[in-house]
């Protein structure tokens, strides 16, 4: 009798101490941390994707917004969370690739503290100008910049944002300079661009496509590797004569480092499946996003490339956002 | 030594000077920049100097003008209200919402002279905790643990 | 004519059974949540956003809009009853509204707010329907220089908020400006005054400061005087405004509506200034400015109308340009995107049903609010007759949970406790918190726009005078400052003369 009790206790112990047995995963609601306020690009990505994922995983997925410090507050918390598959993060290029090269002290290291799962979506940046700005093409802009150094204002969605760094990259590749005018987010930057208070800006295609269609902004080039179907007349940067300015804003999913292999597998599978359903794809396309849904290996290789590229840009341009 | 006639003005002046000096001291590390390209330190430096000047003016005025005394500080309500709020923050993740609420309500209520733990108060207490649980956690989905990490999952 | 057919389309959309229901639910939810201190419309809409995904786009937006203005209305209720402004706009309402409540006129204050809001909402909706596109273009004229001058005007106006010492009003404004600097500097990305806490890298939330200084400060102050005075008036005189009240509030409501509608259109923080501007205006035009801060009905009627008018017209840049004028509008844009609608100038032409349906629903929602809230006033008034020692722990609970829900962080709760301590000290020293709060809101925006304007003008400070809108506002600020200082200076001179004589 006593032996039986011991035996069952031992069996119970094994069952409890073996979380790797993910047959039951997920057994409770999963929390997806979005380190930005509700309504932004990361938030939209998380909500659209998880809505589909809950169907295949059979558990509710709760999106929790933990905004603060350019996303590093929420990312730091996820980095310290238990790697049991019940805490995930959906973050942007800023969280994964830019914060690490820009800030000296960061509460997380994206290459060491996360199990990278997949790059969910990406959207090209576009170079837009106020319609009254004298330059009609990238070539004209470069000439104008060379004639008027430190005169043209480049609006960005913040110091150290991906569009700020894209502008810096553009200056470095073309040998020009402009005045960087940071705003508090993309929306006010676009507003001032439409109002003619700033001259040009690199913005996410989705955020400005309607303004371009309405003639409120002039599209000079797409920073993608191919032309965008929505604007077939707009050249890519390469076609416009500027090499090496291919920049996407992307949103990716990760978990705290050390996920049990089968949990990771299950998550990857469910993520890719959800992202590839026509319904989800369609919704992302509507808002200018392109579904990537790559593997964790591809994500990690891509992340290393991105980090090293932005590191060069930041060092060459002597960009600081943290004194 | 002249008398401080207006105690409130005097201490308010001291308060401004303290805040101004602290802001100035911490802000001295931020780059000033120029008027055309202002640095992060430009605005804070100007503001903290102005605040210190206002503080000096207020403290100086206290010697010239008569005014009310500050009066006794109500230490008990101050400590209980501020303390219970801080305790709530401390207990929420570890002990969970229910315990944190009980502590917040009971400690803050104890600051009142009319505080008595009678059946009425107990009923109100239960009602309030139940209301918060239902509305905030269940209906609105505010991510607060009902039972914290101290008591297992 | 086109406007009429458009409005007809809007009516058809808004009056379907389900849309009416969603409007009603939104308004109800908004009011209920707005009444709970701390839980403002931004947090509420963020939390309810996922619920609306399953709805058709028009219904979703109608409901979210209902939550927005419902919460704004509910927020004034709390400000009046227990001196807890959950939002920048209700800080001003609390000034005179709470004094009215203490004098037993809570019902009349609430009814004034409801009627003023309804009138303002109606006018603003008409404005929205008729003039939306040209008004939006006007908003685009506002660049960094114009915004800076607007903020200067706002700051000068905030001196008028104080009814005590002028020197302290200035001191508290500057203190507020400095507190507002905490966080990341927009222009350089430097974090300032954060003491290494990433939690405040984006600045301290306004609600944390307001709840601490007003809410906790008020509770401590009341408890300190518990034995010497009753906290709430025992007798409640009339739930509805008297004929006299109506006469007194008519002009302020009108002025507030005009002022609020204009400021609401500006996406760079104009709506936030609406209620402050209205209060300043009322105090300036009043024959008895000394009554302000002591329960003047104009001090409730003007700002409440301005606030609601601004809330409605702040939809103009959102709907016509896709530009969010405040965090709530940003969430609405997020909701539209999730529904597959790309916000921007094309919404009006491509989604007329949504555009006009939403506009008409806003008027219906305002009507709901009035019908709903007038009968509720009796209930609210009875609520504050609950003994204070039962009431204040509950207020504290709602403050704590509300503040937590802002960022889902306990850090904000600690901060609120600190501001509660400061609030009590301020009160002991007769330093009024209202000007500080306005400084707190304006500080970061003012610096941001000033530096941006200087950056764009390449260091040329004359832009503020060479641009007509900016110059006009600076001139107004100067005139206002002169009228504020003149009485004080005159008084000093008279004192000096008397001493000489």
């Amino acid at each position: 009798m006593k032996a039986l009790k011991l035996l069952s206790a031992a069996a119970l112990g094994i069952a409890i101490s073996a979380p790797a047995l993910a047959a039951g995963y997920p057994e409770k609601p999963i929390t997806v941390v979005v380190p930005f306020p509700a309504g932004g690009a990361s938030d939209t990505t998380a909500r659209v994707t998880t809505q589909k994922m809950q169907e295949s995983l059979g558990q509710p997925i709760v999106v929790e917004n933990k905004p603060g410090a350019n996303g590093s507050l929420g990312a730091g918390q996820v980095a310290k969370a238990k790697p049991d598959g019940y805490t995930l993060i959906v973050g942007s290029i800023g969280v994964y690739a830019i914060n690490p090269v820009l800030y000296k002290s960061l509460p997380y290291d994206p290459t060491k503290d996360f199990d990278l799962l997949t790059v969910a979506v990406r959207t090209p940046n576009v170079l837009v100008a106020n319609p009254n700005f004298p330059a009609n093409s990238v070539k004209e802009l470069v000439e104008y910049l060379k004639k008027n150094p430190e005169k043209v204002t480049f609006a960005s969605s913040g110091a150290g944002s991906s569009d700020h760094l894209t502008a810096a990259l553009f200056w470095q590749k073309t040998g020009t300079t402009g005045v960087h005018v940071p705003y508090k987010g993309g929306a006010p930057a676009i507003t001032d661009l439409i109002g003619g208070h700033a001259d040009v800006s690199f913005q996410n295609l989705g955020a400005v496509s309607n303004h371009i269609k309405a003639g409120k902004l002039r599209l000079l080039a797409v920073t993608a590797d191919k032309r965008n179907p929505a604007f077939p007349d707009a050249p890519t940067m390469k076609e416009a004569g500027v090499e090496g300015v291919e920049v996407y804003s992307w949103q990716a999913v990760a978990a705290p480092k050390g996920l049990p292999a089968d949990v990771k597998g299950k998550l990857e599978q469910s993520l890719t499946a959800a992202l590839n359903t026509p319904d989800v794809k369609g919704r992302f396309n509507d808002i200018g996003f392109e579904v990537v849904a790559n593997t964790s290996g591809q994500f990690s290789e891509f992340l290393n490339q991105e980090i090293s590229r932005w590191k060069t840009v930041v060092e060459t341009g002597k960009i600081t956002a943290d004194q | 030594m002249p008398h401080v006639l207006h105690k409130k003005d005097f201490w308010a002046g001291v308060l401004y000077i303290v805040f101004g000096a602290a802001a100035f001291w911490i802000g001295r590390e931020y780059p000033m920049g120029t008027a055309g390209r202002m640095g992060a330190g430009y605005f804070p430096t100007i503001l903290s100097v102005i605040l210190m000047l206002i503080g000096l003016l207020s403290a100086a005025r206290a010697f010239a003008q008569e005014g009310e005394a500050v009066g006794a500080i109500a230490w008990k309500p101050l400590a209980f209200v501020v303390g219970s709020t801080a305790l709530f923050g401390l207990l929420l993740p570890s002990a969970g919402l229910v315990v944190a609420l009980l502590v917040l309500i009971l400690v803050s209520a104890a600051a009142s002279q009319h505080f008595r733990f009678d059946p009425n108060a107990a009923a109100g207490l239960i009602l309030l905790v139940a209301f918060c649980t239902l509305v905030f956690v269940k209906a609105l989905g505010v991510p607060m643990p009902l039972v914290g990490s101290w008591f297992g999952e | 004519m086109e406007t009429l057919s458009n409005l007809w389309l809007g009516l058809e959309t808004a009056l379907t059974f389900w849309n009416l229901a969603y409007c009603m639910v939104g308004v109800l939810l908004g009011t209920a949540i707005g009444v709970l201190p701390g839980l403002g419309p931004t947090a509420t809409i963020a939390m309810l956003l996922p619920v609306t995904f399953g709805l058709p786009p028009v219904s979703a937006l109608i409901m979210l809009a209902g939550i927005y203005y419902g919460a704004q209305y509910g927020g004034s209720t709390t400000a009046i009853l227990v001196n807890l402004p959950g939002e920048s706009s209700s800080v001003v309402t609390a000034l005179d509204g709470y004094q009215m409540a203490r004098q037993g006129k809570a019902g009349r204050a609430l009814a004034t707010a409801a009627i003023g809001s309804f009138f303002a909402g109606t006018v603003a909706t008409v404005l929205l329907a008729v003039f939306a596109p040209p008004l939006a273009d006007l908003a685009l004229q506002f660049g960094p220089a114009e915004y800076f001058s607007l903020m200067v005007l706002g700051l000068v106006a905030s001196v008028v908020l104080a009814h005590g010492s002028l020197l302290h009003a200035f001191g508290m404004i500057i203190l507020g400006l400095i507190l507002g600097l905490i966080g990341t500097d927009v222009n350089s990305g430097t974090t300032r005054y954060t003491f290494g806490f990433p939690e405040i890298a984006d600045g301290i939330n306004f609600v944390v400061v307001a709840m601490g200084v007003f809410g906790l400060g008020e509770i401590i102050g009341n408890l300190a005087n518990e034995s010497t005075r009753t906290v709430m008036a025992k007798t409640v005189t009339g739930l509805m405004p008297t004929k006299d009240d109506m006469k007194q509030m008519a002009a302020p409501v009108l002025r507030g509506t005009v002022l609020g509608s204009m400021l609401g259109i500006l996406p760079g923080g104009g709506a936030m200034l609406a209620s402050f501007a209205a209060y300043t205006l009322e105090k300036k035009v009043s024959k008895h400015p000394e009554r302000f801060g002591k329960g003047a009905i104009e001090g409730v009627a003007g700002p409440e109308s301005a606030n609601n008018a601004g809330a409605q017209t702040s939809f103009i840049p959102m709907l016509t340009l896709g530009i969010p004028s405040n965090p709530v509008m940003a969430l609405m844009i997020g909701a539209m995107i999730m529904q597959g609608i790309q916000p921007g100038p094309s919404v009006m032409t491509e989604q007329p049903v949504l555009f006009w349906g939403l506009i008409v629903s806003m008027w219906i929602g305002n009507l709901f609010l009035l019908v709903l809230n007038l009968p509720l006033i009796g209930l609210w008034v009875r609520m504050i007759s609950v003994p204070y020692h039962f009431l204040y722990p509950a207020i504290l609970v709602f403050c704590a949970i509300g503040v937590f829900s802002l960022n889902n962080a306990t850090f904000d709760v600690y901060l609120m406790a600190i501001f509660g301590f400061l609030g009590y000290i301020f009160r002991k020293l007769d330093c009024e918190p209202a000007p500080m709060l306005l400084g707190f809101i304006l500080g970061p925006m003012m610096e941001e726009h000033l530096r941006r304007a200087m950056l764009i003008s390449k260091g040329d400070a004359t832009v503020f005078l060479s641009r007509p809108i900016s110059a006009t506002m600076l001139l107004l600020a100067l005139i206002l400052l002169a009228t504020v200082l003149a009485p004080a200076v005159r008084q000093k001179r008279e004192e000096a003369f008397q001493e000489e004589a």
Side-chain angles (χ1 to χ4, degrees):
Chain A
M1 196 58 203
K2 209 171 181 181
L4 199 70
K5 254 186 184 166
L6 259 173
L7 205 70
S8 58
L12 211 75
I14 289 164
I16 290 168
S17 65
L21 271 179
Y25 173 85
E27 288 169 318
K28 56 175 189 184
I30 299 169
T31 304
V32 172
V33 173
V34 170
F36 296 103
S42 296
D43 187 61
T44 313
T45 309
R47 292 191 197 272
V48 172
T49 314
T50 54
Q51 229 179 358
K52 253 301 168 294
M53 280 175 76
Q54 3 195 34
E55 288 167 21
S56 71
L57 291 175
Q59 281 287 347
I61 303 180
V62 189
V63 175
E64 211 177 294
N65 299 91
K66 285 254 182 191
N70 272 337
S72 52
L73 194 66
Q77 284 174 0
V78 173
K80 283 180 206 79
K82 238 193 281 173
D84 52 7
Y86 292 104
T87 312
L88 305 177
I89 179 169
V90 173
S92 62
I93 171 174
V95 170
Y96 293 102
I98 295 179
N99 288 354
V101 299
L102 217 50
Y103 297 98
K104 270 178 256 153
S105 59
L106 210 60
Y108 66 97
D109 180 341
T111 52
K112 291 198 188 101
D113 295 342
F114 290 138
D115 267 338
L116 305 171
L117 295 172
T118 184
V119 174
V121 292
R122 66 176 190 178
T123 176
N125 282 358
V126 288
L127 176 59
V128 282
N130 180 276
N132 296 323
F133 186 70
N136 287 304
S137 66
V138 176
K139 198 169 152 241
E140 286 177 30
L141 174 67
V142 172
E143 279 165 19
Y144 189 85
L145 283 169
K146 285 197 168 144
K147 261 182 239 155
N148 304 286
E150 298 280 335
K151 280 278 183 307
V152 177
T153 47
F154 280 72
S156 88
S157 46
S161 61
S162 82
D163 39 316
H164 172 200
L165 295 194
T166 310
L169 180 66
F170 178 76
W171 295 334
Q172 288 166 20
K173 295 286 177 191
T174 56
T176 55
T177 51
V179 181
H180 170 227
V181 185
Y183 286 79
K184 219 175 177 174
I190 296 168
T191 311
D192 262 14
L193 202 63
I194 297 173
H197 306 289
D199 299 324
V200 289
S201 182
F202 286 93
Q203 287 293 332
N204 293 355
L205 176 62
V208 288
S209 59
N210 244 332
H211 299 301
I212 300 169
K213 279 184 202 146
K216 305 255 180 203
L217 290 176
R218 179 188 293 148
L219 175 57
L220 299 185
V222 191
T223 65
D225 48 15
K226 54 178 185 291
R227 293 196 177 203
N228 192 283
F231 298 97
D233 296 337
T236 64
M237 270 290 172
K238 201 171 172 182
E239 287 169 349
V242 184
E243 293 268 355
V245 189
E246 267 156 32
V247 181
Y248 291 88
S249 280
W250 43 272
Q251 305 290 337
V253 193
K257 188 92 189 165
L259 280 188
D262 38 0
V263 171
K264 192 176 175 194
K266 199 157 189 179
L267 273 173
E268 280 176 331
Q269 197 190 349
S270 149
L271 267 167
T272 354
L275 285 166
N276 281 318
T277 45
D279 172 29
V280 170
K281 263 198 161 150
R283 278 178 84 174
F284 278 125
N285 283 339
D286 284 346
I287 54 177
F289 283 154
E290 180 191 330
V291 169
V292 179
N294 57 5
T295 64
S296 55
Q298 288 166 330
F299 180 10
S300 128
E301 196 182 320
F302 172 66
L303 180 59
N304 286 333
Q305 284 168 13
E306 282 281 274
I307 289 181
S308 75
R309 154 156 82 158
W310 295 118
K311 200 171 180 147
T312 321
V313 173
V314 164
E315 280 165 6
T316 317
K318 296 193 180 63
I319 294 162
T320 51
D322 193 22
Q323 321 256 335
Chain B
M1 173 100 193
H3 264 323
V4 176
L5 297 170
H6 198 311
K7 288 269 174 26
K8 282 186 176 176
D9 264 10
F10 179 76
W11 287 111
V14 170
L15 192 78
Y16 298 148
I17 295 172
V18 168
F19 271 102
F24 186 82
W25 181 251
I26 302 169
R28 78 194 189 290
E29 292 170 11
Y30 308 137
M32 282 293 278
T34 61
R37 267 176 191 263
M38 290 175 210
Y42 202 92
F43 223 63
T45 308
I46 292 178
L47 288 180
S48 47
V49 169
I50 297 178
L51 187 59
M52 283 189 278
L53 286 178
I54 291 177
L56 280 177
L57 214 62
S58 175
R61 195 173 71 168
F63 291 96
Q65 246 174 38
E66 254 182 270
E68 290 169 59
V70 177
I73 302 268
W75 289 111
K76 188 182 164 193
L78 184 63
F80 278 46
V81 171
V82 172
S84 64
T85 311
L87 270 177
F88 174 80
L90 196 71
L91 290 173
L92 184 60
S94 47
L97 180 67
V98 175
V99 176
L101 277 181
L102 289 177
V103 171
L104 172 63
I105 297 167
L106 288 175
V107 173
S108 66
S112 168
Q113 301 163 351
H114 305 293
F115 175 66
R116 256 191 349 268
F117 196 77
D118 52 18
N120 252 342
L125 182 71
I126 293 166
L127 219 67
L128 191 56
V129 173
F131 177 85
C132 290
T133 310
L134 285 177
V135 171
F136 294 106
V137 181
K138 297 290 172 207
L140 290 170
V142 180
M144 296 183 287
L146 285 180
V147 180
S149 53
W150 283 357
F151 308 105
E153 284 294 306
Chain C
M1 235 34 249
E2 204 194 335
T3 312
L4 279 185
S5 67
N6 281 332
L7 279 179
W8 181 248
L9 176 70
L11 268 175
E12 275 180 346
T13 315
L15 285 180
T16 60
F17 173 76
W18 282 112
N19 284 344
L20 273 178
Y22 284 121
C23 182
M24 179 100 139
V25 169
V27 165
L28 266 174
L29 265 177
T31 313
I33 280 155
V35 167
L36 296 175
L39 219 60
T42 319
T44 313
I45 292 185
M47 282 184 277
L48 291 177
L49 206 53
V51 181
T52 64
F53 293 157
L55 306 180
V58 187
S59 311
L61 285 177
I62 284 178
M63 185 167 126
L64 289 174
I67 295 175
Y68 173 51
Y69 48 77
Q72 208 128 52
Y73 180 83
S76 346
T77 306
T78 324
I80 291 172
L81 293 177
V82 286
N83 197 22
L84 258 183
E87 270 205 276
S88 50
S89 50
S90 31
V91 170
V92 188
T93 313
L95 292 178
D96 278 278
Y98 181 59
Q99 290 309 321
M100 283 182 78
R102 294 191 80 140
Q103 291 158 16
K105 293 189 263 186
R108 282 152 73 183
L110 289 173
T112 305
I115 296 167
S117 293
F118 175 69
F119 177 80
T122 308
V123 173
T125 309
V126 173
L127 272 179
L128 191 57
V130 184
F131 296 116
L135 285 177
D137 282 337
L138 183 76
L140 284 176
Q141 299 292 313
F142 268 68
E146 283 77 14
Y147 276 115
F148 171 73
S149 302
L150 179 67
M151 303 294 153
V152 171
L153 182 58
L155 264 197
V156 173
S158 61
V159 176
V160 183
L161 290 181
H163 54 265
S165 152
L166 215 54
L167 185 70
H168 285 315
F170 282 115
M172 292 304 274
I173 290 173
I174 305 281
L175 186 60
L177 286 171
I178 292 181
L179 288 174
L181 296 179
I182 295 175
T184 306
D185 168 31
V186 175
N187 282 276
S188 67
T190 309
T191 48
R192 296 184 293 193
Y193 303 115
T194 57
F195 302 97
F197 291 111
E199 287 88 347
I200 45 175
D202 290 340
I204 299 175
N205 195 305
F206 166 82
V207 176
V208 175
V209 183
M211 292 289 141
V213 171
F214 273 90
L216 266 62
E218 174 75 26
I219 290 173
I220 301 167
N222 282 337
L223 287 175
N225 299 326
E226 214 179 6
S227 48
T228 51
R229 62 169 179 180
T230 48
V231 172
M232 280 294 164
K234 284 276 177 286
T235 49
V236 175
T237 56
L239 292 181
M240 286 297 141
T242 59
K243 225 181 198 162
D244 234 24
D245 288 343
M246 286 299 223
K247 234 186 259 162
Q248 258 182 318
M249 64 187 263
V253 165
L254 218 69
R255 284 190 289 259
T257 304
V258 174
L259 208 54
S261 304
M262 290 193 312
L263 285 166
I265 300 162
L266 303 174
M272 265 196 250
L273 291 177
S275 53
F276 290 97
Y279 190 87
T280 307
L281 184 68
E282 288 316 316
K283 196 170 170 181
K284 277 281 136 195
V285 300
S286 169
K287 288 195 190 79
H288 302 283
E290 71 282 354
R291 282 175 34 251
F292 280 76
K294 294 176 187 127
I297 195 166
E298 302 96 308
V300 176
E304 272 303 299
S305 317
N307 174 22
N308 205 40
Q312 308 283 323
T313 53
S314 63
F315 277 85
I316 291 180
M318 197 275 276
L319 285 172
T320 54
L321 298 170
I323 290 165
S325 46
N326 56 38
V328 174
M329 290 301 134
L331 283 174
M332 299 276 286
I333 286 186
M336 281 167 97
I337 291 177
M338 300 283 252
Q339 293 279 4
I341 299 164
Q342 189 55 244
S346 54
V347 169
M348 232 171 123
T349 45
E350 283 172 16
Q351 308 270 352
V353 171
L354 177 109
F355 185 87
W356 295 102
L358 183 59
I359 288 180
V360 172
S361 89
M362 287 202 269
W363 183 77
I364 295 173
N366 271 293
L367 188 67
F368 274 146
L369 268 182
L370 188 73
V371 175
L372 201 85
N373 279 295
L374 286 181
L376 272 182
I377 288 174
L379 185 82
W380 292 126
V381 172
R382 222 168 308 141
M383 195 198 80
I384 51 167
S385 59
V386 170
Y388 194 68
H389 62 279
F390 282 127
L391 196 58
Y392 82 84
I395 296 175
L396 211 54
V397 163
F398 293 133
C399 287
I401 295 180
V403 160
F404 173 83
S405 72
L406 294 171
N407 289 319
N408 301 327
T410 49
F411 190 86
D412 286 339
V413 180
Y414 298 135
L415 271 181
M416 177 175 76
I418 296 173
F419 277 105
F421 172 80
L422 278 178
Y424 176 67
I425 302 292
F426 290 152
R427 193 173 244 283
K428 288 300 276 184
L429 300 174
D430 289 344
C431 300
E432 292 167 68
M436 183 187 89
L437 280 174
L438 192 59
F440 179 79
I441 298 165
L442 289 178
M445 292 202 280
M446 201 167 121
E447 186 195 14
E448 188 187 326
H449 290 298
L450 169 66
R451 287 168 66 182
R452 187 174 297 140
M454 295 295 276
L455 207 57
I456 288 175
S457 75
K458 284 97 200 169
D460 179 8
T462 55
V463 276
F464 300 111
L465 299 175
S466 60
R467 299 180 65 102
I469 301 178
S470 162
T472 312
M473 273 182 304
L474 285 181
L475 189 70
L476 275 176
L478 202 68
I479 295 171
L480 187 59
L481 189 66
T483 63
V484 169
L485 290 177
V489 173
R490 204 179 307 133
Q491 197 187 343
K492 278 267 153 37
R493 267 174 43 200
E494 274 162 21
E495 275 170 25
F497 281 132
Q498 273 166 5
E499 273 171 32
E500 273 170 38

